[in-house]
Amino acid sequence: MRSLNLLVFFGILLASVPSYAGLSDPNELVENSKVDPALTRSTTTWSTVTETVKDWWDKGVTAVTGTKAKSKTSPTPTSVQQNAETVGGPANGTTPESTEISNSNDTSTSTTEVTEEQTLTSPEATPTPVVDLGVPPADTGTSFSELKEAQRQLKQQSVTRTSKPGRKHGANLKVSKTGVPIFPLEIKQTVKLKNGKTKVVMAPLKKIPRLDVGEEPTLSAEDFILKDYKFPLRNVGDVKSLPSPELVMDGAVKALTSRQVVPAKPSVDMEKKSFGVAKVVTKESITKAMPKVGDLLVIAEKPVKNYTENQLKMLTASILYSQGDRCHVLLGLLEDIAKDSKDAKIQSEATFHLGACAHKLKMNSLAFERLSTVIRSENPDFAGEAIELLAQGLPAEHELPFSKLIRDFKAQKLISQKIRDEVNFLTAKGAFKESNYQAAKSFAEKVSEASPRFGQAQYLIGISWYSLGNLGKAVAKLEGLRGWLASQKNPDKNLNSLSAINLARMKFTQGRFKDALPLYMAIDKDHPFWVQGLVEQGWTQLALEDYSGAIGNMYSLHSPYFKAVYKPESFVVRTIGYLNICQYGDAYRTLSWLEHDYRPWSSAIDTYVSTKKLAS
């Protein structure tokens, strides 16, 4: 009895499933106002429910009757054709066992559903025909089973092919977990500590050997191409037409179409010269303009030459020197290369860069020592640049040795034109310090007027003529210099004062006191020679019998403002002035002042000269 109740329950449930499965959405209406049957939208979920219920039905029948229940549907469904015959009734008067609604766009599932009458009556009952209105099923995407099937097929196929095998790495390399060759840049070293214990530390590797990382296999051009596998594609559903554009009023169309188009002007033959085309381009002119391609030069391979240790050091030093701010690091390295290298070329290069770095760091003595060595070697690669470096801000103590270097330098063509005036002036100045006045005059005359050293060079020529005993040419040269300074917008005050005091002395020597007096007065008051010039002006005033003027100028120097200035000669000039105007008491007091201030100096000098060798 319990089995019979269970069988009746399953029968009722099976009969009700198609009714629920066939419910349609009341919103889905077609043009002929017929409801779309749910059979045209069968889903996998309802198919699964139907199959499950049928399994339960079979089990229940088996439990009651002991025989397997027969299927209520035909194993071979037929498709309903979309024509007038199908709507009116079955074709050819046949009665199909089951009706199936098929859709070519749905490739994943196909479900056969039965009506309530077919389930509760015999399997030979005729079903109600259904019209396929062409509504495509919803696209459910790619199922998980399809992806698993694609993965299985991909594993079975070979997606790459090796056209050239690789080569294994060297024996001195290890391999990481991913198969990449690696080489350690640090090694373990045992270091002894101060307390006597030892410690293992990692130290950088000093020398890296030649490494062979091998080669990877080369893949063919057919990589990742699957020949057999074809992934199923889903068909696109019905295409909906786009909305029609908005209508345009006739008035707007006429307004646009009734406009008159202004005709283009006829072509005019323009002058070719105005466009940069002087002649007509022809095939012959193009042929002449085409470059001629000659035979390629045969490149001869040369053997590779390994660098020595000093060459590698010099390469490192050159790279650091090119960065411009590494001279403080390079001094020691360049000094070692210059001492240890047996190659003269590398030694000369290291010496030059050492001098250049010292010059950049304002280490003038070291710079002059190293760069003068390069200049004496007359190295064509570095001698000219060494002269250029020394000529920039040369200290006064190095002017004389620099002048000797240039005068002995035979390869004058290595001196660049942009620094030639500066080099000639410094050479002339050093020669004058050496009392070689002829060489000083000769090199000073080579300084061009465009050089900023032109005025100083003219002054040097003037005093060189005076030192050579030619007073007339010396005076003429300095007078010309005074006129040139007057024509300058910003004359050199120092040069103005030097030329004035020296020209005044020369005129004083010639007895031209009236010409010398304004020159002494032209000395700038902030110049170091102003006090000496004022004293010499006093001597000139005495020679012109202007005793009061001489006394007044010296009286100004004897004010407390000039207390720290060394001026013993001014007391002599003042005393002579008083004597000439018969002021004997003032003359005596002036000499007493001189004796009081400067006699201790005389005693101290006598003591120093008597106790020190070469003191004089």
Side-chain angles (χ1 to χ4, degrees), residues 350-594:
T351 304
F352 166 75
H353 284 94
L354 178 59
C357 276
H359 181 270
K360 187 177 293 185
L361 295 174
K362 306 299 181 182
M363 302 171 67
N364 297 322
S365 297
L366 179 61
F368 187 84
E369 179 186 353
R370 294 296 189 269
L371 293 177
S372 60
T373 303
V374 178
I375 295 172
R376 279 191 289 268
S377 68
E378 298 192 2
N379 188 304
D381 297 326
F382 305 107
E385 194 171 352
I387 294 174
E388 183 177 352
L389 287 174
L390 285 182
Q392 299 174 5
L394 183 69
E397 62 268 19
H398 294 146
E399 289 176 350
L400 178 57
F402 179 77
S403 176
K404 292 181 179 179
L405 278 175
I406 300 302
R407 281 179 284 163
D408 296 337
F409 191 68
K410 297 179 181 179
Q412 293 289 326
K413 62 181 181 180
L414 295 178
I415 303 175
S416 63
Q417 192 64 34
K418 66 178 182 179
I419 62 163
R420 190 171 291 275
D421 288 335
E422 183 71 17
V423 171
N424 287 331
F425 172 75
L426 292 173
T427 305
K429 193 175 179 183
F432 187 88
K433 289 183 177 181
E434 197 183 13
S435 301
N436 190 346
Y437 307 118
Q438 187 62 41
K441 182 180 71 66
S442 176
F443 278 95
E445 288 173 346
K446 295 180 182 179
V447 179
S448 64
E449 189 172 355
S451 171
R453 295 288 197 178
F454 176 74
Q456 299 178 24
Q458 294 298 304
Y459 169 76
L460 202 55
I461 295 172
I463 59 177
S464 295
W465 275 122
Y466 179 82
S467 301
L468 289 171
N470 196 329
L471 185 59
K473 289 187 177 181
V475 171
K477 180 58 69 174
L478 291 181
E479 285 180 343
L481 174 60
R482 297 282 300 169
W484 180 81
L485 287 171
S487 66
Q488 301 298 308
K489 293 182 179 179
N490 298 313
D492 187 350
K493 291 184 178 181
N494 178 54
L495 188 59
N496 177 71
S497 298
L498 288 175
S499 60
I501 191 172
N502 280 279
L503 186 58
R505 289 170 177 174
M506 292 178 188
K507 292 183 181 294
F508 187 91
T509 304
Q510 292 176 326
R512 300 163 59 182
F513 305 118
K514 290 184 178 180
D515 295 334
L517 185 61
L519 290 170
Y520 279 119
M521 298 175 67
I523 301 173
D524 293 329
K525 291 182 173 58
D526 56 351
H527 196 272
F529 279 171
W530 180 77
V531 174
Q532 181 64 28
L534 191 60
V535 174
E536 293 182 13
Q537 180 184 341
W539 286 111
T540 305
Q541 289 173 317
L542 291 178
L544 292 173
E545 297 182 356
D546 183 12
Y547 306 117
S548 299
I551 293 172
N553 286 335
M554 299 307 104
Y555 187 83
S556 301
L557 288 179
H558 295 160
S559 65
Y561 184 79
F562 298 101
K563 183 179 182 180
V565 178
Y566 182 75
K567 50 187 184 301
E569 196 174 351
S570 61
F571 293 95
V572 179
V573 175
R574 184 175 176 181
T575 301
I576 294 174
Y578 281 138
L579 289 175
N580 280 278
I581 61 174
C582 301
Q583 297 289 338
Y584 303 113
D586 293 331
Y588 180 79
R589 281 192 295 272
T590 303
L591 288 177
S592 300
W593 193 351
L594 170 65

Side-chain angles (χ1 to χ4, degrees), residues 257-268:
T257 56
S258 60
R259 292 182 182 178
Q260 274 194 339
V261 179
V262 180
K265 295 181 180 180
S267 61
V268 180

Side-chain angles (χ1 to χ4, degrees), residues 25-44:
D25 189 350
N27 295 325
E28 296 180 359
L29 301 178
V30 294
E31 293 181 358
N32 56 3
S33 301
K34 289 184 178 181
V35 179
D36 179 17
L39 291 176
T40 61
R41 297 181 290 104
S42 59
T43 60
T44 307

Side-chain angles (χ1 to χ4, degrees), residues 241-258:
S241 60
L242 296 175
S244 300
E246 296 181 2
L247 297 178
V248 181
M249 301 296 293
D250 292 340
V253 175
K254 290 181 180 179
L256 294 174
T257 56
S258 60

